[in-house]
Amino acid sequence: LFRVWGFRESFALRSPLALTPSALAAVEAFGPRTDDPSLECIPPGMPNAITNPYPMEFIDEGNRIIQRIEEWDARRVIHITEEARARTEAPSHLGYSVGFWEGNTLIVDTNQIAFPFLDADGTPMSENVTMVERYTLSEGATRLEHEIVVTDPDNLAEPAIWDTTWVYRPGVEVRQFECTLPETPISVYR
């Protein structure tokens, strides 16, 4: 797990988002040319911080794992102690993450996410959102299957689940990211 991973395929939703009526109204009111934070080079929160095609790296620091994500130069901390589960931190755009191992799978629970949108389409995200990720290492450690389950009872009638596969390619690096705004107001995600 502790290496740089390159993107293999786009994150895919297992099924369309099941939005609550208030979330559906918020999506319909979202203005992609005015309301998208990326128009001002504001980095996304979870889960968008990791659902991008840029390389990422896991670094073992004993009681925590650092996940470096090329896009937006994100640095996410995943705490790996039982004591970490009882702690609370101030909400942030990447949230508070606690992980544990189940065989060759790293399971990461994230909460305390302070970001208004679940996706680039303006789907709202509440302070009650929780995410569970599973990073499963393949035999031979060349593929990393990744699943994200998002639960937000305020906005989702049922959990949203994304899947993708990361691959190990020697020589791939996490590089510095620089947000460059286009001349016209178009999201960096579109």
Side-chain angles (χ1 to χ4, degrees), residues 3-7 54-56 70 167-175:
R3 56 175 53 164
V4 176
W5 295 93
F7 204 63
Y54 294 91
M56 67 158 178
E70 182 172 308
V167 294
Y168 173 64
R169 293 187 184 105
V172 172
E173 299 175 1
V174 175
R175 297 186 175 157

Side-chain angles (χ1 to χ4, degrees), residues 46 49-50 52 54-57 67-76 94 174-175 177:
M46 289 294 291
I50 55 172
N52 64 70
Y54 294 91
M56 67 158 178
E57 176 181 22
Q67 184 179 23
R68 288 182 56 225
I69 306 162
E70 182 172 308
E71 187 178 42
W72 303 98
D73 294 319
R75 184 179 182 275
R76 180 180 179 208
L94 296 179
V174 175
R175 297 186 175 157
F177 182 82

Side-chain angles (χ1 to χ4, degrees), residues 156-178:
L156 298 173
E158 60 187 50
I161 304 172
W162 283 268
D163 296 291
T164 197
T165 302
W166 298 85
V167 294
Y168 173 64
R169 293 187 184 105
V172 172
E173 299 175 1
V174 175
R175 297 186 175 157
Q176 186 173 1
F177 182 82
E178 184 176 323

Side-chain angles (χ1 to χ4, degrees), residues 10-63:
S10 296
F11 271 86
L13 270 169
R14 285 194 190 161
S15 58
L17 293 176
L19 301 178
T20 62
S22 61
L24 184 56
V27 169
E28 290 171 356
F30 180 76
R33 293 182 177 264
T34 56
D35 300 331
D36 186 339
S38 73
L39 296 172
E40 297 178 33
C41 283
I42 296 172
M46 289 294 291
N48 277 343
I50 55 172
T51 58
N52 64 70
Y54 294 91
M56 67 158 178
E57 176 181 22
F58 289 100
I59 301 166
D60 184 359
E61 290 192 349
N63 288 338

